[in-house]
Amino acid sequence: MFDRQSVRDHLARLIAQAMYMEENELVETELFSNFGLESLTLAKIVTKINQEYHVSIQPRDVLKHQTLRDASEFVFQELSRQHGQSGGTP
């Protein structure tokens, strides 16, 4: 099951793990580049999201959304669109 908050939390967890940070160190409105997240790492995170949620999101599309808040909203919208629902089980 997914909703906005679960997608945001999952993305925060993946980013924190990739950056060797604690989730509470991530600020929703801070640019990814400010805490060292580069495009290759974000591409790996998007690959995990695609595998776990059974969707096809392009890393280049997520790169347009440079904060946790914006990226998680984009991912949520894509999950909903690709699964034909407004939130629920993938």
Side-chain angles (χ1 to χ4, degrees), residues 1-10 49 52-55 57 72-90:
M1 181 156 209
F2 65 86
D3 57 32
R4 277 182 172 82
Q5 189 62 44
S6 67
V7 169
R8 183 247 173 248
D9 292 347
H10 189 210
I49 290 169
E52 293 171 12
Y53 287 104
H54 307 286
V55 293
I57 296 173
S72 63
E73 180 61 25
F74 170 76
V75 170
F76 173 77
Q77 292 297 328
E78 280 299 300
L79 293 175
S80 298
R81 185 182 66 76
Q82 291 185 33
H83 286 289
Q85 54 196 21
S86 60
T89 54

Side-chain angles (χ1 to χ4, degrees), residues 56-65 74 78:
S56 180
I57 296 173
Q58 298 299 312
R60 69 177 175 268
D61 295 328
V62 177
L63 285 172
K64 296 175 189 174
H65 307 278
F74 170 76
E78 280 299 300

Side-chain angles (χ1 to χ4, degrees), residues 15-86:
I15 291 171
Q17 289 171 351
M19 300 308 299
Y20 304 100
M21 301 170 67
E22 296 294 324
E23 286 178 55
N24 62 0
E25 294 178 85
L26 297 175
V27 178
E28 280 196 340
T29 57
E30 190 168 345
L31 294 175
F32 290 148
S33 58
N34 288 351
F35 46 85
L37 184 66
E38 84 294 327
S39 58
L40 182 58
T41 302
L42 189 58
K44 291 177 182 178
I45 290 168
V46 171
T47 298
K48 287 182 182 182
I49 290 169
N50 286 337
Q51 292 169 344
E52 293 171 12
Y53 287 104
H54 307 286
V55 293
S56 180
I57 296 173
Q58 298 299 312
R60 69 177 175 268
D61 295 328
V62 177
L63 285 172
K64 296 175 189 174
H65 307 278
Q66 285 292 303
T67 66
L68 177 58
R69 179 189 299 165
D70 292 345
S72 63
E73 180 61 25
F74 170 76
V75 170
F76 173 77
Q77 292 297 328
E78 280 299 300
L79 293 175
S80 298
R81 185 182 66 76
Q82 291 185 33
H83 286 289
Q85 54 196 21
S86 60

